[in-house]
Amino acid sequence: MFSWVSKEHGGKNTEGEMFKSVTEGLQSLYMKKLLPLEEAYMFHEFHSPALEAADFQNKPMVLLVGQYSTGKTTFIRYLLEQDFPGMRIGPEPTTDSFIAVMYGEKEGVIPGNALVVDPKKPFRKLNSFGNAFLNRFMCAQMPNQVLQSISVIDTPGILSGEKQRISRGYDFTQVLQWFGERVDRIILLFDAHKLDISDEFSEAIRAFRGQDDKIRVVLNKADQVDTQQLMRVYGALMWSLGKVINTPEVVRVYLGSFWSKPLQNTENRKLFEAEAQDLFRDIQSLPRNAALRKLNDLIKRARLAKVHAYIISYLKKEMPAMFGKENKKKELITKLPEIYIALQKEHHISPGDFPNVTRMQEQLQHYDFSKFPSMKSKLIDSVDKMLAENIAGLMMQIRKEESNMPSQSVQGGAFDGVNDSPFGHGYGEGAGEGVDNEEWIVARDKPKYDEVFYSLSPMNGRITGANAKKEMLNSKLPNTVLGKIWKLADCDCDGMLDDEEFALAQHLIRIKLEGYELPSELPPHLVPPSHRHNRASPLQG
């Protein structure tokens, strides 16, 4: 087990190896524990190529997938706030290549054939898809602050019809699956006017089976329909997605218009701003969660590799020594669903850990089962130990790294576009209303609040908590919310409210009733004028 010693820049495991980070620990575990099992049972031929150092060390990646003209390339342009090399935008299918948009000191393009021989890039294993794919793959490098934290993969627009699938010259779905296993976030883009999911798009989405936690959906160009139409479009999209994404959870859909042009319909402006901020926060969290994502992907890979080993060794065991091999092979392939069930019971494996049975049957047609390796318990035990012990040590180290490292998030481009400005989401609204006013914002409605205050029989200019409670309960807000409002409004903490404190409490109640969140501590602009000279520090809520 990893016994992490208390050192600032790393730790040692029981075998005396020094690891500077979780990433290095993951790489070592994979190379020494999991890779031998994968190689022994031909895992790379059936499922996924071997991982390399660059797969563990690369920045978080975001994969954009969608039908043509849904705004994938424009979305990247919107995030970066600058054009990138190789970018083409238009209403017709313009992006016909996979473009990895990454950070580089100098702007330029690296073609696919050169990209897959670069050991510093995580794309070397893509060479197995051949020249037809590599001629449609490139890396656009540029000095951009956003790309210092993440990389973005643009994909060809998906068309409907058989012609598009045939003319690609490479297995588009397999390429998407390869990326899906390695990226941190998969964003499916839809156009508010094109909700139909073509056959190829359905196959593309199904290629992400097992990566459901990475998928987010963006309904782009939502400003081009009015509110009523948007409700219908949203419902239709959820219905369509339900047929291709087979998960009990509802997938997260973000509504908006992700480009820098004026909104065509402004009635949903606040909704679009809130949705954009939610999506930005999700993307900004990727660098912070990168190590955890890689750990999670390694666990999923290890579970699949174990299951694959059980399948292969079972098929080997069932083969006759001399005669009837071909007939037995056909029988075993036909009975593969039953074999899955038998292995589930024997080894206590979840059905979700098994590979797609139809695809596995197709792949097995090309192999001689008698040449498959037999069960090697030591390899399985080594992976079991990794999952049971070593992974737990890495989880502890992740928490240590997070506490010792400064907060990591994506900066620059659209992520900084509205920060610390009057155009930031929610600026001047709710508890932020009146932040730029010289006059106390509550004074605007204070005459109305004063009428209520003086009807509550104040003594020496104050009302008791009991009297205030009767009035505040009229708001029908929960006691937990009213308790927080009381703490924020009772500026001098004397258990009573003067006329300004009572007016502040009523103002905060109105803020909450209008759907805004209460501040955790009272902002300076909301402090009643007569209490400002007493406040050496903000009141904690």
Side-chain angles (χ1 to χ4, degrees):
M1 179 175 177
F2 280 83
S3 301
W4 298 98
V5 295
S6 180
K7 290 190 179 181
E8 186 178 353
H9 298 295
K12 267 185 184 178
N13 69 2
T14 52
E15 295 168 359
E17 296 171 295
M18 196 73 180
F19 297 115
K20 296 179 181 177
S21 66
V22 171
T23 299
E24 189 175 323
L26 283 171
Q27 185 178 338
S28 176
L29 276 182
Y30 174 73
M31 296 298 179
K32 294 182 177 179
K33 306 277 188 179
L34 184 53
L35 185 59
L37 179 69
E38 292 182 353
E39 290 176 336
Y41 292 96
M42 300 173 288
F43 179 87
H44 308 140
E45 297 178 33
F46 282 85
H47 301 290
S48 180
L51 300 178
E52 296 187 326
D55 291 306
F56 294 95
Q57 297 162 6
N58 67 297
K59 296 184 182 79
M61 294 192 289
V62 178
L63 179 69
L64 298 180
V65 181
Q67 300 185 136
Y68 77 94
S69 193
T70 52
K72 296 185 300 298
T73 306
T74 306
F75 182 83
I76 299 174
R77 170 70 179 78
Y78 177 79
L79 293 183
L80 303 182
E81 292 189 343
Q82 98 182 69
D83 293 347
F84 57 87
M87 185 182 89
R88 292 168 59 205
I89 296 174
E92 74 285 357
T94 49
T95 303
D96 62 348
S97 302
F98 281 81
I99 304 177
V101 187
M102 308 181 80
Y103 182 82
E105 293 296 334
K106 293 183 179 180
E107 188 171 307
V109 171
I110 304 173
N113 281 289
L115 198 56
V116 295
V117 296
D118 185 350
K120 295 182 180 178
K121 297 284 193 296
F123 306 121
R124 280 162 53 97
K125 296 299 181 179
L126 283 169
N127 61 4
S128 62
F129 293 103
N131 278 328
F133 167 72
L134 295 179
N135 291 334
R136 290 284 180 266
F137 180 45
M138 68 176 76
C139 174
Q141 290 195 152
M142 57 191 297
N144 183 283
Q145 190 178 359
V146 173
L147 299 176
Q148 289 181 324
S149 303
I150 60 171
S151 301
V152 187
I153 314 295
D154 195 8
T155 61
I158 298 173
L159 294 174
S160 56
E162 188 70 19
K163 179 177 181 296
Q164 175 70 11
R165 195 177 316 160
I166 294 171
S167 63
R168 289 197 192 276
Y170 60 90
D171 194 328
F172 181 68
T173 304
Q174 285 291 301
V175 173
L176 285 181
Q177 182 178 342
W178 188 94
F179 276 108
E181 291 171 352
R182 287 159 176 78
V183 301
D184 297 70
R185 188 66 76 236
I186 301 166
I187 297 180
L188 306 178
L189 273 94
F190 288 86
D191 184 328
H193 290 105
K194 289 199 288 276
L195 292 180
D196 59 306
I197 301 180
S198 67
D199 292 344
E200 190 179 33
F201 198 12
S202 295
E203 288 182 20
I205 295 173
R206 291 190 181 101
F208 302 132
R209 178 180 178 265
Q211 314 296 337
D212 307 303
D213 56 317
K214 300 179 182 180
I215 294 177
R216 304 290 184 272
V217 176
V218 170
L219 180 56
N220 201 10
K221 307 181 185 180
D223 65 315
Q224 296 180 11
V225 295
D226 61 31
T227 304
Q228 187 178 19
Q229 290 173 321
L230 184 58
M231 290 175 64
R232 291 173 180 167
V233 166
Y234 181 83
L237 175 59
M238 297 304 291
W239 182 80
S240 297
L241 287 171
K243 295 193 296 182
V244 291
I245 301 180
N246 297 317
T247 57
E249 300 85 10
V250 177
V251 67
R252 178 64 164 99
V253 177
Y254 299 89
L255 310 174
S257 181
F258 295 95
W259 65 351
S260 55
K261 294 189 178 181
L263 298 176
Q264 293 188 21
N265 282 306
T266 58
E267 56 194 270
N268 294 312
R269 184 185 190 106
K270 282 191 176 181
L271 171 65
F272 297 157
E273 288 174 357
E275 292 285 283
Q277 288 304 308
D278 285 351
L279 179 59
F280 284 179
R281 277 194 289 270
D282 184 68
I283 295 174
Q284 284 181 304
S285 70
L286 296 180
R288 188 168 57 251
N289 299 325
L292 194 59
R293 192 276 301 170
K294 288 170 183 172
L295 179 67
N296 187 51
D297 282 355
L298 186 69
I299 293 171
K300 285 195 286 188
R301 188 181 179 100
R303 291 164 71 97
L304 178 60
K306 271 183 60 182
V307 169
H308 179 76
Y310 286 134
I311 294 170
I312 295 299
S313 59
Y314 181 92
L315 296 176
K316 164 71 173 180
K317 184 181 70 174
E318 293 297 310
M319 288 298 287
M322 296 290 291
F323 304 109
K325 292 184 179 181
E326 196 60 33
N327 288 335
K328 187 62 176 178
K329 173 182 170 180
K330 290 178 182 178
E331 179 190 334
L332 289 171
I333 290 175
T334 304
K335 290 185 176 180
L336 193 61
E338 298 169 29
I339 294 172
Y340 275 18
I341 295 171
L343 292 174
Q344 287 171 30
K345 292 178 180 177
E346 182 182 351
H347 300 286
H348 309 290
I349 304 170
S350 166
D353 288 348
F354 281 77
N356 180 275
V357 66
T358 305
R359 187 176 163 213
M360 194 70 176
Q361 285 172 322
E362 292 172 358
Q363 290 175 302
L364 287 170
Q365 302 280 359
H366 310 292
Y367 290 87
D368 181 352
F369 291 6
S370 60
K371 294 182 179 179
F372 280 169
S374 301
M375 174 55 66
K376 298 176 181 177
S377 298
K378 285 187 178 180
L379 293 177
I380 295 286
D381 292 343
S382 179
V383 172
D384 281 337
K385 183 179 179 183
M386 178 190 83
L387 292 171
E389 299 180 5
N390 303 133
I391 293 296
L394 283 178
M395 284 294 295
M396 292 174 59
Q397 181 65 3
I398 284 177
R399 287 190 284 270
K400 287 183 182 179
E401 279 193 5
E402 287 178 347
S403 61
N404 293 334
M405 291 174 63
S407 179
Q408 294 177 294
S409 70
V410 183
Q411 303 293 331
F415 298 98
D416 291 347
V418 295
N419 290 351
D420 304 320
S421 80
F423 299 97
H425 177 62
Y427 187 92
E429 300 173 1
E433 185 182 7
V435 68
D436 295 326
N437 294 6
E438 291 185 12
E439 184 184 357
W440 187 40
I441 187 65
V442 183
R444 185 181 59 190
D445 297 315
K446 191 170 183 294
K448 178 176 64 175
Y449 300 145
D450 281 349
E451 287 183 22
V452 180
F453 176 78
Y454 288 109
S455 72
L456 297 174
S457 305
M459 296 184 65
N460 299 321
R462 287 173 168 78
I463 58 172
T464 63
N467 283 348
K469 179 180 178 180
K470 293 176 185 176
E471 177 59 33
M472 292 172 70
L473 284 172
N474 290 333
S475 67
K476 299 182 180 178
L477 288 170
N479 285 349
T480 52
V481 175
L482 293 174
K484 183 173 183 179
I485 289 173
W486 173 270
K487 290 179 181 179
L488 291 170
D490 186 13
C491 297
D492 52 13
C493 301
D494 64 353
M496 304 180 78
L497 300 181
D498 62 24
D499 61 323
E500 288 185 339
E501 291 173 320
F502 179 77
L504 172 60
Q506 294 297 98
H507 180 75
L508 292 171
I509 286 173
R510 179 178 66 81
I511 286 172
K512 188 63 181 176
L513 290 174
E514 289 177 353
Y516 297 102
E517 291 301 318
L518 294 171
S520 57
E521 57 184 48
L522 196 64
H525 71 279
L526 287 183
V527 178
S530 64
H531 290 270
R532 290 179 183 176
H533 62 281
N534 296 326
R535 293 171 65 87
S537 61
L539 181 69
Q540 296 297 317

